[in-house]
Amino acid sequence: MSDEDALLARQAAGGDSAAFTALVRRHERRVRAFLSRLTGGQGADDLAQEVFVKAWRLAGDWRGQGSYGGWLMRIAWTSYLSARRADARRHGRDQQDFEARVETSGSPDARIDAERALAGLDERERAAALLCFGEGYSHGEAAKIMDLPLGTLKSIVARARVKLVSALED
């Protein structure tokens, strides 16, 4: 956790909108990228906006345990799940899996292969893989973000890794 994030978060909790704006600028790219990869880009910007509105409303709830970015990712994950449930209720059926978006610096073929491999994971595996491999969160941080026991998160990441490697080797 950065000391600057902690200071800005305390100021935001006290109602300082400029401090909160600085936090948004620091973390917006990662939150938007995470949501875009989960949703296949469909509605990710609206969902990210919702995340930051919730974060502002709940600014006083962050207690400095773990990183501020991790706290935002937790809000992003729960917002994503809520949106999926609402959409499924609205359509009266389970929503089909979103195609994941992966930013790779490799060839277009490598990007397509990576997108297909991620799309082959279930939503928990995809989220865990994106958090741990794509965003660089530790297993402990990802477990907190996804509200899972550490052992469960590690099992999900291990399964995701095996599936990704297998899909990319094919």
Side-chain angles (χ1 to χ4, degrees):
M1 164 184 57
S2 105
D3 291 337
E4 187 174 350
D5 276 359
L7 174 63
L8 290 170
R10 282 193 299 276
Q11 292 170 340
D16 185 342
S17 62
F20 184 72
T21 299
L23 285 167
V24 170
R25 285 189 181 126
R26 290 173 64 102
H27 298 282
E28 182 177 26
R29 183 191 59 77
R30 288 182 82 187
V31 169
R32 286 185 186 280
F34 176 66
L35 290 170
S36 181
R37 289 174 179 151
L38 282 175
T39 66
Q42 298 177 357
D45 287 336
D46 292 338
L47 204 48
Q49 184 67 32
E50 181 182 321
V51 167
F52 289 110
V53 168
K54 284 181 184 178
W56 172 248
R57 216 176 45 242
L58 301 171
D61 290 357
W62 184 70
R63 302 285 181 233
Q65 298 168 339
S67 70
Y68 189 81
W71 182 71
L72 286 172
M73 290 299 224
R74 169 87 175 119
I75 295 171
W77 172 243
T78 58
S79 295
Y80 165 76
L81 291 177
S82 293
R84 278 206 64 194
R85 282 190 295 271
D87 191 57
R89 280 192 305 271
R90 216 174 12 257
H91 291 96
R93 59 177 171 74
D94 287 334
Q95 188 175 4
Q96 293 182 354
D97 285 343
F98 293 120
E99 183 177 324
R101 302 284 183 219
V102 176
E103 295 175 21
T104 62
S105 57
S107 70
D109 288 341
R111 180 185 170 101
I112 291 169
D113 290 345
E115 287 177 1
R116 285 185 183 148
L118 278 170
L121 302 176
D122 70 35
E123 73 180 13
R124 285 188 349 159
E125 291 168 342
R126 186 169 48 246
L130 288 169
L131 287 169
C132 293
F133 307 142
E135 296 296 329
Y137 284 99
S138 70
H139 287 144
E141 290 171 317
K144 285 180 185 175
I145 290 167
M146 295 181 68
D147 195 27
L148 294 171
L150 180 59
T152 301
L153 184 276
K154 286 182 177 182
S155 294
I156 292 169
V157 169
R159 269 195 317 274
R161 181 186 319 253
V162 168
K163 288 179 180 180
L164 289 170
V165 168
S166 175
L168 291 172
E169 286 177 345
D170 288 344

